[in-house]
Amino acid sequence: MNYNFQDRIDEYLLHGDTMSEEDKAQFLKEIEEDAEKKEQYEFTKNVKQAIISRGEKLKAMTEFQKEMKSHHHRKTWLWISSIAAVLVIGFFAINPLFVENSPTDNVRGDENDVFDMTVPTDSINNDSISTDTVTLLHE
């Protein structure tokens, strides 16, 4: 392995934009004329591409893991809220089956307590049931 040439390969691959056009042309001519140098250049270029590819894959895997972790939390909350909704709906659907409701639940006292009243005698004369109020109003 030619270490001086390896430095030139690294300079071309890593800092090719800062090299002069003359140095670039000289480098490319040299790798076209020497098969061993071309092989060394191709190997170095493939290693560089593999490192870049590996870095991109690691970055993509990290992003995927973050997304999956976030998705897992959302899925967990969806399950918890679904179970809570089922319990609440079940409570309101099943609870009336076990609670006895009587039509007189809203009435105070016994059945006959509402009607056990003494009516003042003077109110009987003014009671609209005992007199015909329609004819009284037209007279």
Side-chain angles (χ1 to χ4, degrees):
M1 175 184 245
N2 186 342
Y3 292 106
N4 290 335
F5 188 70
Q6 183 64 47
D7 290 340
R8 290 182 59 211
I9 293 173
D10 293 340
E11 182 180 354
Y12 178 78
L13 291 175
L14 299 174
H15 308 291
D17 53 340
T18 60
M19 289 177 71
S20 70
E21 292 300 320
E22 185 180 314
D23 289 342
K24 284 182 188 179
Q26 174 64 29
F27 175 79
L28 293 173
K29 182 180 177 190
E30 196 173 337
I31 63 171
E32 288 300 321
E33 292 175 352
D34 189 341
E36 187 179 324
K37 287 181 180 180
K38 185 173 185 172
E39 185 180 334
Q40 188 176 350
Y41 167 73
E42 291 294 330
F43 176 77
T44 305
K45 186 172 80 170
N46 289 339
V47 169
K48 179 186 174 205
Q49 289 174 344
I51 291 171
I52 290 171
S53 176
R54 176 74 173 152
E56 290 172 352
K57 287 176 186 174
L58 288 173
K59 184 179 176 182
M61 286 174 57
T62 303
E63 291 297 320
F64 179 73
Q65 287 173 341
K66 286 180 185 176
E67 185 179 322
M68 289 308 294
K69 188 175 182 180
S70 173
H71 178 71
H72 176 70
H73 287 299
R74 280 184 267 143
K75 193 173 180 181
T76 301
W77 279 109
L78 179 65
W79 273 100
I80 290 171
S81 60
S82 298
I83 291 170
V86 166
L87 291 174
V88 168
I89 291 171
F91 174 77
F92 287 111
I94 295 174
N95 190 30
L97 300 175
F98 296 109
V99 176
E100 289 187 29
N101 288 330
S102 171
T104 60
D105 280 348
N106 295 331
V107 178
R108 233 183 282 170
D110 291 333
E111 293 177 11
N112 298 324
D113 286 349
V114 175
F115 301 106
D116 287 343
M117 299 179 18
T118 56
V119 180
T121 55
D122 62 338
S123 70
I124 294 175
N125 296 335
N126 299 328
D127 189 12
S128 63
I129 295 174
S130 62
T131 57
D132 186 9
T133 54
V134 175
T135 56
L136 286 176
L137 290 175
H138 292 291
E139 289 180 0

